[in-house]
Amino acid sequence: MSKPRDRRFPDRETIVAFIRTHPGQTGTREIAREFGLKNADRIELKKILRDLADDGTIVKRGRKLRQAEETLPPTLMADITGRDSDGELLATPTEWDEEAGTPPKIRIHVPRRAKPGTAAGVGDRALLRIEATEPGDSAPYRARVIKVIEHTRSRILGIYRALPQGGGRLEPVDKKQAGRELNIAKADSAGAEDGDLVSAELVRTRGFGLASGRVKERLGSLATEKAVSLIAIHAHDIPQVFTPAALREAEAAKPAALRGREDWRALPLVTIDPPDAKDHDDAVHAAPDEDPNNEGGAVVTVAIADVAYYVRPESALDHDALKRGNSVYFPDRVVPMLPERISNDLCSLVPGQARGALAVRLVIGPDGRKRSHTFHRILMRSAAKLNYAQAQAAIDGNPDDVTGPLLAPVLKPLYAAYALVKRARDERDPLDLELPERKILLNPDGTVDRVIVPERLDAHRLIEEFMILANVAAAETLEKKDLPLIYRVHDEPTVEKVHNLREFLKTLDMSFAKSGALKPEQFNRVLDQVKGHDSESLVNEVVLRSQAQAEYSAENYGHFGLNLRRYAHFTSPIRRYADLIVHRALIRALGLGDGALPATETAETLAEVAAQISVTERRAMKAERETADRLIAHFLADRIGNIFGGRISGVTRAGLFVKLTDTGADGLIPIRSLGTEYFNYDESRHALVGSRSGSMHKLGDVVEVRLVEAVPLAGALRFELLSGGLAGPRDPRRREGRNRKGMRGSQNAHAKVHSKAHPGRKPRKTSRKPGKSTAGKPKKGKS
């Protein structure tokens, strides 16, 4: 940035112009330096910036500012959707918050001589380098392809439906391909039977009639849970087979030796994980600090499996791990980021076995704050493998044969150190949402046994806080060494989402701060007011929806939810590629030996990696959620007509979404089934309001519903509402029969939901006959 030349106070247009020419690099400090503003001027500058943010002219990302139009980051994953009138490729962001409106168009510049791996076409997914176009351009952004991530798939996953005359039809399970059935000739069916889940390939297309396909693989019957998880794996193109080269590297790997490491095998580190954990990549230890200058403090050690020792940059294992981005967890299986030889053997910190690790030693003061830290490359030996309930039971006075000998020397010091850390955590006051997570338990045959909400214990919180400390230490060390890294970032909520939250809270006679910098504690004060009240679940859900979604980035704009200025994932390199990058960077920064981050890795190249693994993380989340939905729909399919208790979890113009209390399953109550009157959608109150009676159904209401339909293939449920709505005044502005946002406005939305639940069927837009599915699921907020 240039030196200040004019010390007159800049006007709004000048400030916006400066922000526009330095996107993502500019904050209050940089603007003040550019225009030579002194301390007294900064108060006025902050007021102008706040006004610009409030009216939507600029957007704030952490401490940095951008012009509002420049909402896309410089590196982005996008899907190529078509061509413009000039034949140039057009793309839209792969991940886009629907509440932000229509995703922006990106015009792709294709050079005459494309580099290898950058030749893209319609239907492909690619990593792009983005820049804004001039005002008036047909597309707000232009881009060049950095790398094609995924070409148009020719293989299709679907359900084989046998025909009486031989052969059959393939119903795709991907909702985007709904209605595009394939004709399968008998000779091309590979012996598939009616109801089989199969993988097929397109063999030819026709101008008229159905396209033809050939079955390549029979994956099993949908009656088994195995097939249900395979739907998500194939639908989201999650790699589940490692390349032969990666498997050879994994099998050839040898256990880490002491050479080049510190010997910490005598330190009684322990792993504390869920009882069904398949890998154990983090271990902890704590002891009182013997330094007289830190009386009452503690020394906490966090040791993480040394994955970087086995997975070297540019190796076959590395390429496979980056393609996956992360492990994906289903109720019956794990699709791992690394082969089992690495994840479940050499890098699993099993008791009694020497294992290589990267460890951080954290010195905690009596106030719970971290005073210092050091990183070490070590050889360790886990003293025990514990689960959360087991560790907690020992502390609560019920030790077993394993925890009994560890209680005094290991567990009590861990909990004492956690008590210190918790004190500092409470002062930091991170976002404290109460959103219980449900877990699906399976029978031996793979069917659903029951759904539970595991109890949150201090053992869980202990591990979480120690891991957060380790992640902060990693980010601080790499920043101090001026090395590039991938941050875990979480932006503060947008002005629009905060406004919507404020308007919603008004309906509950609650207020939210209108001025000043946003902080998690402001949201926590709201959450504290509703603890123990009927509206607690509702307010937690709405606050969650107001938040941005966490992601990976080479640019640091802080972690709003944790209320931390710098944060990087370090603690799970077995299952997250971002952590592996951080391990390599630490090895390079501290000269710890082999497996270091190459010098060719820069902030620019890591921005590309961050964009890619942010997408694979979203992919995993969607696949896990859709599999849970399908499993629950299978579980409830034989309970049509049963009555369930639940809570309204979403309100749209299509109707009400209800989450069942027992299973956490979501289903739709179509707006047309609510009664004989028209219902208006009240966005500010998250409610549907009867135009004649004023009867109201709003987000968070406790209701009783009857299950009308279950569609396991789509993971969709449809309910009938049995509870009456809350009484309210009739809206005098509405006349029955002229509601454009109520009943009539809902028909198209209803039809879309129907088509997702029943691929291949055309909904009757005006039909009110029972039995037509309108099942679906609401879009959740991002966190």
Side-chain angles (χ1 to χ4, degrees):
M1 296 182 187
S2 59
K3 295 181 179 179
R5 292 167 293 185
D6 189 348
R7 294 193 177 271
R8 291 177 298 175
F9 199 93
D11 58 19
R12 286 168 54 103
E13 289 71 23
T14 303
I15 293 172
V16 172
F18 180 71
I19 293 171
R20 182 173 60 248
T21 54
H22 301 87
Q25 306 170 28
T26 307
T28 307
R29 182 184 303 173
E30 288 76 17
I31 297 173
R33 185 184 300 126
E34 172 69 16
F35 296 103
L37 304 180
K38 302 300 182 183
N39 289 339
D41 298 324
R42 291 198 180 196
I43 297 175
E44 178 64 19
L45 174 61
K46 288 181 178 179
K47 181 180 183 301
I48 292 176
L49 293 176
R50 188 160 54 245
D51 290 343
L52 289 170
D54 287 344
D55 64 23
T57 304
I58 63 174
V59 292
K60 187 177 181 184
R61 197 172 190 183
R63 296 175 179 270
K64 302 302 181 182
L65 305 168
R66 291 179 184 270
Q67 192 173 8
E69 291 81 6
E70 297 169 351
T71 56
L72 297 185
T75 306
L76 177 78
M77 193 79 75
D79 293 324
I80 301 174
T81 56
R83 295 181 183 273
D84 63 11
S85 57
D86 296 324
E88 292 193 279
L89 293 171
L90 293 175
T92 56
T94 299
E95 293 294 330
W96 183 255
D97 185 353
E98 292 187 356
E99 294 182 11
T102 304
K105 290 273 177 53
I106 306 165
R107 190 177 64 253
I108 298 177
H109 170 68
V110 180
R112 291 183 178 179
R113 295 183 179 180
K115 295 180 181 179
T118 65
V122 175
D124 291 351
R125 176 168 293 176
L127 193 63
L128 305 180
R129 179 78 65 203
I130 304 286
E131 60 182 34
T133 56
E134 296 298 322
D137 198 295
S138 59
Y141 298 94
R142 59 174 173 262
R144 64 175 177 84
V145 177
I146 299 171
K147 179 169 55 175
V148 175
I149 302 299
E150 177 186 325
H151 284 289
T152 305
R153 285 180 288 172
S154 60
R155 294 172 68 85
I156 301 170
L157 190 73
I159 307 303
Y160 181 77
R161 301 299 185 191
L163 297 175
Q165 64 270 30
R169 299 279 174 86
L170 184 78
E171 293 183 11
V173 298
D174 187 345
K175 293 180 181 179
K176 294 180 182 178
Q177 297 173 332
R180 301 177 188 175
E181 291 187 347
L182 296 182
N183 184 58
I184 308 292
K186 185 176 181 180
D188 292 331
S189 66
E193 298 179 359
D194 187 70
D196 276 357
L197 178 68
V198 299
S199 174
E201 65 177 356
L202 196 66
V203 293
R204 67 180 183 274
T205 57
R206 300 174 179 173
F208 301 96
L210 294 179
S212 295
R214 179 187 298 120
V215 174
K216 298 297 293 181
E217 186 180 5
R218 295 176 61 189
L219 301 171
S221 169
L222 267 187
T224 68
E225 193 282 333
K226 178 182 179 182
V228 174
S229 58
L230 281 175
I231 290 176
I233 290 170
H234 285 266
H236 293 281
D237 203 25
I238 296 171
Q240 58 174 334
V241 178
F242 289 99
T243 59
L247 292 173
R248 284 195 297 270
E249 288 180 1
E251 291 304 317
K254 304 297 181 185
L258 183 59
R259 183 174 175 271
R261 300 175 183 273
E262 299 176 45
D263 190 350
W264 286 21
R265 284 176 288 184
L267 188 70
L269 289 149
V270 296
T271 61
I272 306 178
D273 295 293
D276 56 353
K278 294 178 174 61
D279 50 53
H280 309 274
D281 58 348
D282 58 84
V284 292
H285 178 268
D289 192 358
E290 297 179 357
D291 185 346
N293 294 322
N294 190 34
E295 186 176 354
V299 177
V300 173
T301 300
V302 176
I304 307 297
D306 191 356
V307 178
Y309 177 76
Y310 300 100
V311 184
R312 301 298 174 88
E314 296 302 320
S315 64
L317 279 170
D318 184 43
H319 287 300
D320 276 26
L322 176 56
K323 187 177 181 180
R324 284 163 167 75
N326 45 259
S327 298
V328 188
Y329 295 86
F330 299 106
D332 76 315
R333 71 174 73 197
V334 176
V335 180
M337 188 180 78
L338 296 167
E340 287 191 6
R341 166 68 173 160
I342 302 296
S343 59
N344 287 9
D345 185 4
L346 297 175
C347 288
S348 189
L349 307 180
V350 294
Q353 298 292 321
R355 291 288 186 264
L358 204 60
V360 57
R361 184 167 276 166
L362 306 150
V363 178
I364 310 299
D367 58 355
R369 297 178 183 272
K370 179 174 68 67
R371 291 192 168 189
S372 63
H373 67 267
T374 53
F375 281 91
H376 309 261
R377 206 170 195 181
I378 67 169
L379 193 68
M380 60 160 284
R381 182 184 288 119
S382 172
K385 179 181 72 174
L386 309 177
N387 64 58
Y388 292 116
Q390 185 182 19
Q392 190 65 51
I395 287 294
D396 292 341
N398 298 298
D400 57 25
D401 292 343
V402 176
T403 56
L406 299 172
L407 183 58
V410 175
L411 292 176
K412 286 186 175 180
L414 278 171
Y415 276 76
Y418 166 64
L420 296 179
V421 170
K422 184 178 182 299
R423 187 181 309 166
R425 186 257 187 207
D426 292 342
E427 289 179 5
R428 193 176 82 243
D429 205 9
L431 190 61
D432 191 18
L433 288 165
E434 287 292 338
L435 296 167
E437 293 187 10
R438 288 174 169 81
K439 184 173 183 178
I440 297 175
L441 301 181
L442 302 179
N443 294 311
D445 63 357
T447 58
V448 175
D449 176 25
R450 63 189 188 280
V451 181
I452 64 170
V453 178
E455 184 183 1
R456 283 278 293 168
L457 305 170
D458 277 347
H460 293 95
R461 300 182 181 94
L462 179 153
I463 293 298
E464 286 175 5
E465 292 305 316
F466 288 173
M467 297 303 125
I468 288 171
L469 281 174
N471 290 336
V472 170
E476 289 177 351
T477 295
L478 293 176
E479 278 196 355
K480 188 175 181 180
K481 295 290 185 177
D482 199 25
L483 276 181
L485 72 149
I486 292 178
Y487 293 93
R488 182 63 170 179
V489 292
H490 179 221
D491 209 353
E492 64 183 38
T494 62
V495 173
E496 181 182 7
K497 286 189 175 183
V498 171
H499 171 76
N500 291 341
L501 174 63
R502 187 178 292 117
E503 292 301 304
F504 165 73
L505 291 175
K506 285 181 181 177
T507 68
L508 300 178
D509 294 325
M510 298 174 67
S511 61
F512 191 81
K514 288 187 177 181
S515 61
L518 274 180
K519 294 182 179 180
E521 65 186 44
Q522 294 166 288
F523 295 91
N524 288 341
R525 282 199 292 269
V526 169
L527 297 173
D528 286 341
Q529 291 179 52
V530 296
K531 278 190 176 176
H533 294 273
D534 291 341
S535 59
E536 180 177 6
S537 177
L538 165 65
V539 174
N540 271 267
E541 185 71 29
V542 176
V543 168
L544 171 65
R545 295 180 186 193
S546 74
Q547 302 302 307
Q549 189 156 18
E551 62 183 354
Y552 293 109
S553 172
E555 173 191 348
N556 182 29
Y557 51 89
H559 198 296
F560 178 80
L562 292 175
N563 200 12
L564 293 169
R565 294 183 61 185
R566 54 188 64 84
Y567 189 67
H569 274 166
F570 160 77
T571 53
S572 290
I574 281 181
R575 62 184 180 92
R576 294 188 303 224
Y577 194 81
D579 304 55
L580 178 56
I581 291 290
V582 170
H583 275 233
R584 289 172 177 169
L586 288 167
I587 291 168
R588 173 177 159 188
L590 303 173
L592 297 178
D594 298 330
L597 190 72
T600 53
E601 291 283 20
T602 63
E604 185 177 70
T605 61
L606 289 185
E608 298 171 9
V609 173
Q612 185 172 339
I613 62 179
S614 289
V615 169
T616 61
E617 180 185 48
R618 306 284 187 273
R619 176 180 70 183
M621 292 168 62
K622 288 179 180 178
E624 292 166 356
R625 184 172 62 247
E626 288 175 9
T627 297
D629 290 343
R630 290 187 176 106
L631 280 169
I632 295 299
H634 271 284
F635 182 56
L636 297 177
D638 61 352
R639 304 188 189 185
I640 304 300
N642 285 16
I643 296 173
F644 301 92
R647 189 181 291 271
I648 296 176
S649 60
V651 181
T652 72
R653 291 178 176 86
L656 304 171
F657 290 94
V658 172
K659 184 183 291 291
L660 300 186
T661 304
D662 291 340
T663 61
D666 278 293
L668 175 68
I669 302 172
I671 194 170
R672 64 175 186 165
S673 70
L674 289 178
T676 57
E677 64 180 318
Y678 286 92
F679 277 81
N680 304 312
Y681 174 56
D682 188 327
E683 187 174 6
S684 65
R685 289 191 284 185
H686 294 269
L688 292 178
V689 184
S691 58
R692 187 172 64 243
S693 66
S695 176
M696 181 188 301
H697 305 286
K698 70 179 191 306
L699 191 69
D701 284 353
V702 176
V703 293
E704 269 197 345
V705 297
R706 178 182 286 113
L707 179 61
V708 175
E709 185 177 16
V711 187
L713 181 60
L717 303 171
R718 181 163 63 92
F719 298 127
E720 174 190 357
L721 183 65
L722 302 181
S723 305
L726 298 176
R730 181 181 182 274
D731 189 345
R733 296 171 298 174
R734 300 282 183 181
R735 283 193 299 157
E736 190 171 348
R738 296 190 177 273
N739 169 26
R740 298 189 180 274
K741 290 188 177 181
M743 172 61 188
R744 291 183 179 176
S746 74
Q747 293 293 346
N748 287 339
H750 167 65
K752 290 179 183 177
V753 174
H754 177 104
S755 67
K756 289 181 179 181
H758 289 282
R761 285 193 210 165
K762 293 183 179 179
R764 299 179 183 176
K765 294 183 179 180
T766 59
S767 172
R768 296 195 180 190
K769 294 180 181 179
K772 293 292 184 183
S773 171
T774 52
K777 187 175 172 72
K779 296 289 183 184
K780 291 246 178 176
K782 298 177 181 178
S783 61

